[in-house]
C-alpha cells in the first residue's frame, strides 16, 4: 500500500511524519503547480471549486510515483467538500486509475471513530503506537505553524528582502528531517534559531491585516498566489485566521489540546450578523472579521474560491460588518482564471488605502 | 522651470502628463499602446521633449497602469503606484471634496469611494468586460457611426430603447434585435448607454454608497451619452474633469512630486528615448510552474526581471527591486 493525500500548504509534513512513523509507505505528490492545476481543470467539472481541481491533479501526479491508496478528508453539512473524496475517486476511476479510497471524517462524537480509520491504514500497529504517531504528526504541524507565524512577523520587518523566505525554507527542512518524536524537539530548536537569525527592524511601522476565508485557500499558497509573501513584501504583518494545528485540534481532537485558539470565539462573534451554520468556514469568516476589528487590525482580506457557497454568504455580510466595526475589508475571488497582475493591483491598492488611512488617522465614513 | 512627469501605461493607451510645480498640466500626450509599451513610452518622451521649451527640468517621475513596472524601470521612476491610488489623487486635486469616482477605460472599469479625501473603498471589474470603452467602440463601428458622434447622437434621444445590458454579449444581440425592429439610432444609442450604466452600477458599484461630488473619468467619459445616463441613474450631477483621459498619469505626476520632496529624482533623462531597451523573456524550467519570466534589457544587459512565483529570478538583480 502506497498512500497519497492531497496537498494543503504544509500539511504534508505532518501527515508524512505520522504515517512513516507507523511504517506506512507514503507518496508525497509534487508541490501543487500550474501543471497540477491544468490536469485538474481538464478532468474536473467546470463549476467545481479550485480545491477539487487541485486535489485531482495531486492524485494524478502521485499515481505516476506509484501511489495506490488515496486518503481524503470528508465532512458533512452544506459545503460540497463533504463529497469531494467520492467525486474525485469516481473521476479517477473513470480515467482508469486503480485507487483505493479511505475517507477520514471528522469524528462526530468521539475520537475513536477516526482512530478506527487510521488503524485500517496502519494495519497491525498497536493502539499505543498509533496514538504516538498521531501525536508526532500533530507536534510537527505545531512546529510548522509556529515557523510560519514567525515568518509572517519577520517579512515586513526584514532588513534585506528575501532573507525571511530563505530562512523559512531552511528551518522547515530541519523539522521535516526529524524522523522520530525524540528528534523533534532539538530540530525545532534549531529551526527557531534559524528564524531568529533573520535581521529585522523591530521598530519599523507595519500594517496588520487578517486573512479570513475558506481553509484550503488560506493554507495552500499555490491557490492564494502566495498572498502572505506578497503582503509581507508590501510591509504588512499578516495573521492567518486558521492554522493547521488549530484546525486539527478543533475538528479531529475535539479540542483536546488546551490553550489553542479555537473557532468558538469567532462563531460567537458572528451570531450578531449570521445566526446559523452555512457550511464550510462561513461563520468563522464573519466572526474572525469582527475579532480582527476588535483587536485593532488595519484591515481584513477574505479569500474566496470561485463558486464557494459558504464564503459567498459571508461575503455578502462583510460590508455590514465593515461599516459597523469600521474595519476595511476586501474580498479576493480565486480560480484557475485568476491573473497575478490583477491580484497585485488589488493588494497594493488595499494596502495603500490602509496606509493612508492610518497616516491621516481618519475614520471610515 | 521644474516639472513633474507622470506616465500611465495601460493595455490600450499610454499617457504622459507633465505638470508644473503647482500641479497644473503643462502638456499631455495620448498614445495607443498597440502591445509595444517600451516603444510607446520612448516615443512619448521624444514627443514631450520636442514640444517643450528648452529650460525645463524634470524633478520627479511617477508611473502607473498595468505597465507601471516596465515604464518605471525604463525611466528610473521615483514612484510606481497602481491605478486606484493615482486616479484618486488626481480626481481629488481637480475636484476638491470628491466622494465618488466612476472610471471607465478601454479594458477596465472601476469605482473608487473617497471619504474625507482618503480612499475608503474601491472595486474593479473582474472578468466581465461589459461597460468598457472597447465595447462602445465596437458598437459604434457596427452601427457605422464615428465614436465622436456617439454622445451627441445619444443626447438627441427622447425615448431611449430598453436594452438588456447584463453582459456585452446580451447587449449586442439585443441591440441588433431592436435595430431590426426599426427603432432609430439615437434611441438605441441612448438605450445602450443606460444599459451599460445599469450594468456598471449593478456589478461594480454594488453595495457602495455613491455620494456627490461624483467624478466620471477614463476614456469613456468623453461620451456625453454616458455622462447623461449616469446623471439620470444617480439623480445627481456628474463632473467630467478637463483631463478625464489622462487622470492616471496626472496622479502619478502628483505623487512623483510628493515622493521627491527634498530628494533628487531617479529620472534617467530624455535620452532614454534613444537607448536600446528590449523586453525578453523565457519559460523557467526550474519547477512545474513553468513561470513566464519577463526580462528587461538595456543594451543587452538585464536591468530587471519579474514574473517568477518563487523569486528565483527577480531576486537575482541587486538594487533593482520591483514594487
Ligand atoms: S521561476 Fe521559480 S516558481 Fe517559476 S518555474 Fe522557475 S523555479 Fe518554478
Amino acid at each position: 500500500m502506497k498512500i497519497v493525500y492531497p496537498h494543503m500548504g504544509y500539511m504534508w509534513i505532518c501527515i508524512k511524519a505520522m504515517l512513516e512513523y507507523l511504517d506506512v509507505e507514503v507518496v508525497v505528490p509534487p508541490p501543487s503547480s500550474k501543471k497540477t492545476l491544468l490536469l485538474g481543470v481538464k478532468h474536473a467539472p467546470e463549476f467545481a471549486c479550485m480545491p477539487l481541481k487541485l486535489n485531482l491533479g495531486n492524485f494524478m501526479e502521485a499515481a505516476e510515483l506509484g501511489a495506490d491508496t488515496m486518503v481524503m478528508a470528508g465532512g458533512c453539512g452544506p459545503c460540497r467538500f463533504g463529497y469531494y473524496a467520492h467525486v474525485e475517486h469516481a473521476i479517477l476511476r473513470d480515467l482508469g486509475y486503480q485507487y483505493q479510497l479511505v475517507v477520514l471524517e471528522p469524528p462526530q462524537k468521539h475520537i475513536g471513530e477516526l482512530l478506527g480509520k487510521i488503524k485500517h491504514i496502519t494495519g497491525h500497529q498497536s493502539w499505543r503506537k498509533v496514538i504516538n504517531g498521531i501525536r508526532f504528526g500533530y507536534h510537527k504541524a505545531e512546529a510548522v505553524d509556529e515557523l510560519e507565524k514567525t515568518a509572517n512577523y519577520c517579512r515586513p520587518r526584514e532588513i534585506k528582502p528575501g532573507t525571511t523566505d530563505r530562512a523559512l525554507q531552511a528551518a522547515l527542512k530541519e523539522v521535516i528531517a526529524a524522523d522520530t518524536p525524540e528528534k523533534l524537539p532539538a530540530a525545532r530548536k534549531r529551526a527557531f534559531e534559524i528564524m531568529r537569525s533573520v535581521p529585522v527592524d523591530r521598530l519599523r511601522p507595519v500594517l496588520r491585516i487578517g486573512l479570513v476565508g475558506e481553509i484550503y485557500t488560506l493554507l495552500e499558497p499555490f491557490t492564494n498566489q502566495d498572498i502572505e509573501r506578497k503582503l509581507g513584501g508590501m510591509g504588512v504583518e499578516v495573521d492567518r485566521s486558521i492554522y493547521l494545528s488549530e484546525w486539527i485540534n478543533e475538528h479531529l481532537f475535539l479540542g483536546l489540546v488546551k490553550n489553542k485558539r479555537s473557532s468558538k470565539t469567532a462563531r460567537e462573534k458572528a451570531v450578531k450578523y449570521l445566526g446559523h451554520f452555512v457550511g464550510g468556514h462561513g461563520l468563522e469568516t464573519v466572526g474572525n472579521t469582527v475579532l480582527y476589528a476588535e483587536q485593532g487590525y488595519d484591515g481584513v482580506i477574505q479569500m474566496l474560491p470561485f463558486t464557494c457557497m459558504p464564503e459567498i454568504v459571508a461575503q455578502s455580510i462583510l460590508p455590514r460588518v465593515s461599516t459597523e466595526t469600521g474595519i476595511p475589508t476586501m474580498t479576493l475571488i480565486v480560480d484557475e482564471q485568476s491573473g497575478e497582475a490583477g491580484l497585485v493591483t488589488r493588494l497594493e491598492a488595499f494596502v495603500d488605502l490602509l496606509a493612508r488611512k492610518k497616516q491621516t488617522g481618519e475614520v471610515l465614513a | 522651470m521644474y516639472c513633474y512627469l507622470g506616465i500611465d501605461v495601460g493595455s490600450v493607451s499610454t499617457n504622459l502628463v507633465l505638470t508644473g510645480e503647482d500641479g497644473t498640466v503643462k502638456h499631455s500626450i495620448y498614445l495607443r499602446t498597440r502591445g509595444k509599451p517600451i516603444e510607446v513610452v520612448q516615443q512619448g518622451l521624444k514627443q514631450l521633449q520636442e514640444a517643450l521649451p528648452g529650460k525645463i527640468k524634470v524633478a520627479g517621475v511617477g508611473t502607473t497602469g498595468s505597465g507601471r513596472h516596465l515604464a518605471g524601470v525604463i525611466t528610473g521612476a521615483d514612484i510606481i503606484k497602481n491605478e486606484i491610488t493615482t486616479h484618486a489623487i488626481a480626481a481629488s486635486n481637480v475636484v476638491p471634496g470628491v466622494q465618488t469616482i466612476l472610471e471607465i477605460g478601454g479594458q477596465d472599469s472601476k469605482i473608487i469611494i473617497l471619504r474625507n479625501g482618503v480612499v475608503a473603498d474601491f472595486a474593479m471589474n473582474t472578468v466581465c468586460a461589459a461597460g468598457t470603452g472597447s465595447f462602445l467602440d465596437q458598437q459604434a463601428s457596427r452601427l457605422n457611426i464615428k465614436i465622436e458622434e456617439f454622445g451627441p447622437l445619444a443626447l438627441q434621444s427622447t425615448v431611449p430603447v430598453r436594452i438588456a445590458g447584463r453582459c456585452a454579449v446580451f447587449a449586442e444581440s439585443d441591440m441588433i434585435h431592436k435595430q431590426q425592429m426599426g427603432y432609430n439610432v439615437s434611441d438605441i444609442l441612448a438605450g445602450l448607454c443606460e444599459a451599460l450604466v445599469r450594468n456598471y452600477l449593478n456589478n461594480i458599484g454594488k453595495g457602495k454608497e455613491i455620494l456627490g461630488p461624483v467624478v466620471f473619468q477614463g476614456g469613456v467619459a468623453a461620451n456625453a451619452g454616458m455622462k447623461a445616463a449616469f446623471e439620470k441613474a444617480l439623480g445627481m450631477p456628474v463632473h467630467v474633469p478637463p483631463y478625464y483621459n489622462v487622470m492616471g498619469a496626472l496622479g502619478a505626476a502628483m505623487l512623483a512630486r510628493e515622493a521627491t520632496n527634498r530628494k533628487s529624482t531617479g529620472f534617467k533623462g530624455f535620452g532614454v528615448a534613444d537607448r536600446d531597451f528590449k523586453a525578453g523573456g523565457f519559460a523557467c524550467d526550474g519547477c512545474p510552474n513553468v513561470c513566464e519570466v519577463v526580462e528587461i534589457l538595456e543594451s543587452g544587459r538585464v536591468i530587471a526581471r519579474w514574473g517568477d512565483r518563487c523569486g528565483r529570478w527577480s531576486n537575482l538583480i541587486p538594487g533593482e527591486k520591483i514594487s
Side-chain angles (χ1 to χ4, degrees), chain A residues 187-204:
Chain A
R188 201 177 151 137
K189 213 168 138 236
R190 281 195 302 277
F192 279 100
E193 264 154 31
I194 296 176
M195 290 313 288
R196 257 196 299 278
S197 71
V198 175
V200 290
D201 174 2
R202 285 180 198 282
L203 300 176
R204 185 183 296 170

Side-chain angles (χ1 to χ4, degrees), chain A residues 32-35 161 221-222 225-226 229 330 345-346 348-350 352-353 356-357 360 362-365, chain B residues 68 81-82 84-85 89 115-116 118-120 122 124-126 255 258 288-290 309-310 321 323:
Chain A
S32 290
S33 66
K34 234 188 245 168
K35 186 176 157 220
F222 180 79
Q225 308 218 24
D226 257 335
R229 258 181 62 200
M330 177 171 75
T345 298
R346 284 169 178 78
E348 280 178 3
F350 191 63
D352 260 359
L353 172 167
R356 289 224 162 215
K357 181 169 171 255
T360 50
E362 292 286 355
V363 195
L364 263 193
Chain B
R68 59 186 178 276
K81 277 279 169 185
N82 75 65
I84 315 261
T85 311
I89 295 277
R115 295 294 181 261
N116 306 314
V118 181
V119 176
F122 66 88
M124 286 169 89
N125 63 331
T126 39
L255 284 170
E258 249 177 56
N289 277 327
V290 207
R309 282 185 94 111
C310 65
K321 207 168 161 341
S323 81

Side-chain angles (χ1 to χ4, degrees), chain B residues 147-179:
Chain B
I147 190 70
E148 297 80 37
E149 294 165 5
F150 192 122
L153 265 174
L155 288 184
Q156 282 169 23
S157 156
T158 42
V159 267
V161 177
R162 183 157 176 106
I163 289 179
R166 176 159 310 144
C167 81
V169 180
F170 275 95
E172 169 149 1
S173 60
D174 199 31
M175 258 178 69
I176 295 174
H177 173 67
K178 297 281 153 63
Q179 236 181 309

